[in-house]
Amino acid sequence: RRVHGEEKFEMGCGANQGSMMGIGSVINRHVKNNDDLPKLYLANKFVGDYGVVEIALSLNTCSKLNELSLYNCGMKARGAKELAKALKENKTLRKIFVGKNEYGVEGAVAIIDSVKSHPTLISLDFSDCNLGDPGCIHISELLRYNQKLQSLFLCGNQISPIGAAELCLSLEINTSLKGLTVDENIIANEGSKHFADMLAKNKTLSALCLDNNSITEEGGEALLACFLENKSLTLLDIVGNKIPNRIVMEIKKFTYRNSKLKQSERMNYVTTSSIFKLSSLPKPAASSTPLSLIHISEPTRRYATSYAVFC
């Protein structure tokens, strides 16, 4: 169907295990017959491993497919492995949602390995997959190798301080990730200290969600202290923890400060670009009317005046 002027495939009917092979075949034919399909959404539709295998077989026939959602679709290890094979050859997907499936660490590792060097992927969702700390080791490797990924979702994966430490080691050197969601895990105070140490070094991450992670005052103090060095984080969600309100309010002040700093940097960039454009304008010929500041708009006049003062 067409949504907001864009072609999008959604499965609108329920499915049981007996019919998932047939549904997979239908999806396969539809995808192969629509090579310009940009989005394939099968979230919360039971297609199972057989259906995922059929989808994987047709995945790379779509030259414009950039979003794939297989969230909560009944995928297990076999389906994840077949999907991983297709993702290794894919060059177009930008967003992949494979959360809330029961493929375990084995299936997750296959998918993670397949996208380590993916050329276009910017968003990856592994929410509610029970990856645990072993899965975090492989996610950490992904963050070391892939310097294009911008958002990563790891909610509800039983990540402990051990897994948090693995993630943070890679995030200290990662220069692409801007948003990380680690809600509903068990990182506790020790894990929050790992994140605080990472945030003091990371200059790229702008949004971090740590809701419902059993963090108390000790962990909150560590997160607050990281803002002495961090100037990039503009959102830190810590709802559902036992962090005193005074710490929460102080953190909000620092994230607000960082937001203002980023706005100022963008304005400085725009102003500098405008001045350079003005400086590259050709000089008027001797016979032409001299250029006066009263003949140009107010914003341009300000930039021209700034440039004159700079000179």
Side-chain angles (χ1 to χ4, degrees), residues 105-242:
V105 176
E106 182 183 6
V109 169
I111 295 174
I112 292 166
D113 288 344
S114 70
V115 297
K116 276 183 180 177
S117 57
H118 198 285
T120 58
L121 185 66
I122 62 170
S123 183
L124 184 60
D125 180 10
F126 273 114
S127 300
D128 300 304
C129 292
N130 292 315
L131 299 180
D133 295 333
C136 279
I137 295 172
H138 297 278
I139 293 288
S140 181
E141 290 179 5
L142 170 66
L143 292 171
R144 285 195 189 96
Y145 285 101
N146 190 310
Q147 294 294 323
K148 293 185 180 294
L149 193 67
Q150 295 180 19
S151 59
L152 177 63
F153 300 88
L154 297 174
C155 315
N157 275 297
Q158 296 297 308
I159 299 171
S160 78
I162 297 172
E166 289 289 340
L167 291 174
C168 291
L169 282 174
S170 294
L171 287 171
E172 286 181 6
I173 59 173
N174 182 280
T175 57
S176 66
L177 199 72
K178 296 179 180 178
L180 174 63
T181 303
V182 201
D183 298 350
E184 305 286 348
N185 284 287
I186 48 175
I187 69 167
N189 289 333
E190 185 181 348
S192 65
K193 291 177 182 178
H194 292 310
F195 276 104
D197 292 340
M198 175 273 294
L199 289 170
K201 300 172 183 177
N202 182 287
K203 307 301 180 186
T204 311
L205 198 67
S206 60
L208 175 62
C209 297
L210 298 175
D211 296 346
N212 300 302
N213 263 290
S214 303
I215 303 171
T216 64
E217 182 175 3
E218 181 184 355
E221 291 283 7
L223 291 169
L224 178 59
C226 81
F227 286 99
L228 294 174
E229 300 291 337
N230 186 284
K231 302 294 189 298
S232 61
L233 196 69
T234 58
L235 174 66
L236 177 57
D237 273 349
I238 46 177
V239 177
N241 294 293
K242 296 180 179 179

Side-chain angles (χ1 to χ4, degrees), residues 6-22:
E6 191 173 45
E7 190 74 21
K8 177 171 74 170
F9 181 82
E10 290 182 321
M11 188 172 74
C13 60
N16 56 42
Q17 193 164 359
S19 63
M20 61 188 178
M21 268 186 88

Side-chain angles (χ1 to χ4, degrees), residues 264-296:
S264 178
E265 288 173 2
R266 284 194 291 268
M267 286 299 296
N268 288 338
Y269 174 78
V270 170
T271 302
T272 305
S273 300
S274 301
I275 289 173
F276 277 119
K277 287 179 182 178
L278 281 170
S279 66
S280 64
L281 290 174
K283 294 182 179 179
S287 59
S288 65
T289 304
L291 181 64
S292 169
L293 291 181
I294 65 171
H295 295 136
I296 56 181

Side-chain angles (χ1 to χ4, degrees), residues 20-21 23-25 27-28 49-59:
M20 61 188 178
M21 268 186 88
I23 289 173
S25 298
I27 296 170
N28 186 320
D49 274 350
Y50 289 109
V52 172
V53 169
E54 291 289 341
I55 292 166
L57 290 173
S58 62
L59 190 61

